[in-house]
Amino acid sequence: MKRSNEEEAKRWLQQAKRDLDDAIFSKEGQRYNLACFLSQQAAKKAIKAYLYSQGAEFVWGHSVAELINDATQFDKSFVEIKKEGGSLDKYYIPTRYPNGLPGGIPSEAFIEEDAISAINKATKIIKFVEEKVD
């Protein structure tokens, strides 16, 4: 049986919040690259939650900025969070793969300030979406 759009949106938003919680946990454990990646994932899932809430049947994509572009088709106010979304996208590949960096490895390349910034941006996006979905 297919879930309703509302149910699917809630599932994605719930996972977005869990990913954000995991990002915070990772930051506290000084796993800054992982905290940055999980923040990007949290924001991406939150935007997907919004798109499902608007009736999308299948949402595809890994770029927060591109998903925000999709969301603006339903609500122009999403442009308010596009800057945060775009800056989180830089954490999608280099936080995980050594060949995503010019040298070194992700666990050595990211610092606490990166993680704090990523978590703050993801938090803003999730709160923005919550106001639209709940």
Side-chain angles (χ1 to χ4, degrees):
M1 185 169 159
K2 185 177 182 253
R3 289 183 179 84
S4 72
N5 287 1
E6 182 180 311
E7 290 172 323
E8 194 63 7
K10 286 182 180 180
R11 284 171 17 104
W12 281 85
L13 190 55
Q14 183 179 10
Q15 187 61 50
K17 291 177 186 179
R18 181 56 189 245
D19 286 356
L20 180 61
D21 186 56
D22 288 342
I24 293 166
F25 184 80
S26 296
K27 180 192 75 74
E28 295 304 319
Q30 299 180 0
R31 303 295 197 253
Y32 304 127
N33 63 307
L34 184 57
C36 292
F37 173 69
L38 289 169
S39 295
Q40 189 271 349
Q41 292 290 289
K44 177 176 79 171
K45 289 172 186 164
I47 301 299
K48 286 186 176 191
Y50 173 76
L51 292 168
Y52 282 118
S53 80
Q54 297 304 298
E57 293 199 20
F58 183 73
V59 180
W60 178 252
H62 299 289
S63 166
V64 179
E66 288 180 11
L67 290 166
I68 289 171
N69 280 341
D70 294 344
T72 62
Q73 296 175 16
F74 299 103
D75 183 338
K76 299 290 183 205
S77 70
F78 272 83
V79 297
E80 297 173 22
I81 58 169
K82 184 156 184 189
K83 180 179 174 185
E84 287 82 4
S87 66
L88 284 170
D89 281 342
K90 68 183 175 185
Y91 298 127
Y92 183 63
I93 299 289
T95 54
R96 300 178 293 147
Y97 301 107
N99 64 349
L101 297 167
I105 60 173
S107 63
E108 296 171 344
F110 294 89
I111 60 174
E112 184 175 18
E113 288 78 12
D114 296 323
I116 291 168
S117 175
I119 288 166
N120 289 340
K121 290 171 185 174
T123 299
K124 179 179 179 179
I125 290 171
I126 289 171
K127 287 180 179 180
F128 186 89
V129 169
E130 281 182 310
E131 292 177 7
K132 306 287 184 182
V133 172
D134 287 344

